[in-house]
Amino acid sequence: DSGVTQTPKHLITATGQRVTLRCSPRSGDLSVYWYQQSLDQGLQFLIQYYNGEERAKGNILERFSAQQFPDLHSELNLSSLELGDSALYFCASSARTGGGANVLTFGAGSRLTVL
Amino acid sequence: GEDVEQSLFLSVREGDSSVINCTYTDSSSTYLYWYKQEPGAGLQLLTYIFSNMDMKQDQRLTVLLNKKDKHLSLRIADTQTGDSAIYFCAERSRSSGGGADGLTFGKGTHLIIQP
């Protein structure tokens, strides 16, 4: 157990629907990252939050949004779902920001299937 | 921009050494990482190396960094069936596409162990 908790583990939904993925970071970690893993694109960075504030954005679609709450858990909202959104969505957390090795600890992922 | 490239597959015999290679393009990379992903699981950090080092050893794992050629390798000695997984190379640079503190990942190398 990495200490990063993601729910749900599996989710099947239909095109056009909206889903919310949840992540609880490792205790003490202030940064949360969302990544999308698909067979053809590999691991794509979506967005990072640090202590409740958005810190960096990657290849996140406008249909997707995220937030980090005061208790540091984060949610990734995916709307108007398309078949191509089917993927594994990973959350990772880290303790620090700025310099240093900044080791990311990953959750087990949420597998989204859009039919 | 930054890019991280890896071969998609590597097949080795049990007991042999495995060498997984990675190239990156961003010369401002500060840290380089190796993560392991077992089936159905998230990414697990194996090791990382600071860019001013050229080698790091940790039990069966040896990381070699050639900063001039922007080449990173992971050697696994005495490869066992439990080493079967996907191995991801990642970099952290000042201009990281993984976000201000995040990582940019390669697409991963599937390590296949032959009996």
Side-chain angles (χ1 to χ4, degrees):
Chain A
D1 182 3
S2 68
V4 179
T5 304
Q6 289 189 248
T7 56
K9 285 189 170 23
H10 302 276
L11 191 54
I12 301 174
T13 188
T15 54
Q17 295 299 303
R18 172 190 168 94
V19 298
T20 297
L21 309 180
R22 183 189 166 101
C23 169
S24 293
R26 209 174 51 150
S27 178
D29 286 357
L30 297 179
S31 271
V32 168
Y33 309 76
W34 286 98
Y35 283 84
Q36 179 192 58
Q37 185 181 32
S38 59
L39 282 174
D40 55 341
Q41 293 293 321
L43 263 172
Q44 296 286 310
F45 168 71
L46 297 178
I47 198 163
Q48 178 201 356
Y49 282 82
Y50 175 75
N51 204 21
E53 299 289 326
E54 182 185 302
R55 183 160 171 85
K57 253 184 178 175
N59 302 319
I60 188 165
L61 299 171
E62 284 192 13
R63 300 183 285 111
F64 297 179
S65 65
Q67 59 185 122
Q68 186 179 28
F69 294 86
D71 67 352
L72 300 176
H73 91 270
S74 178
E75 292 181 357
L76 178 67
N77 301 297
L78 315 174
S79 62
S80 302
L81 285 168
E82 301 175 359
L83 295 177
D85 298 327
S86 295
L88 256 177
Y89 291 84
F90 284 109
C91 170
S93 70
S94 70
R96 61 185 300 157
T97 185
N102 194 41
V103 171
L104 268 60
T105 302
F106 281 79
S110 292
R111 181 173 293 282
L112 173 66
T113 303
V114 182
L115 300 176
Chain B
E2 62 295 316
D3 201 9
V4 179
E5 299 281 344
Q6 303 177 240
S7 298
L8 285 182
F9 295 97
L10 175 67
S11 179
V12 298
R13 285 185 181 276
E14 190 175 358
D16 287 352
S17 290
S18 306
V19 179
I20 303 170
N21 294 301
C22 167
T23 57
Y24 58 97
T25 57
D26 194 334
S27 57
S28 68
S29 292
T30 54
Y31 287 88
L32 294 124
Y33 307 75
W34 285 104
Y35 278 81
K36 175 183 180 182
Q37 184 182 27
E38 294 179 347
L43 278 71
Q44 173 193 0
L45 177 72
L46 286 177
T47 187
Y48 64 88
I49 188 168
F50 186 45
S51 59
N52 70 351
M53 297 170 63
D54 52 20
M55 186 178 100
K56 182 177 180 181
Q57 187 149 6
D58 183 2
Q59 300 183 336
R60 291 192 299 124
L61 305 179
T62 303
V63 177
L64 295 178
L65 174 61
N66 181 328
K67 197 172 178 183
K68 175 175 163 288
D69 294 338
K70 300 192 188 71
H71 182 268
L72 182 74
S73 69
L74 173 70
R75 178 177 180 268
I76 306 172
D78 186 25
T79 308
Q80 302 298 310
T81 54
D83 296 322
S84 180
I86 305 174
Y87 291 81
F88 289 89
C89 170
E91 66 163 354
R92 182 183 184 203
S93 70
R94 294 187 189 91
S95 59
S96 176
D101 305 310
L103 308 181
T104 301
F105 287 84
K107 291 193 175 181
T109 299
H110 290 71
L111 179 61
I112 300 162
I113 316 300
Q114 298 172 10

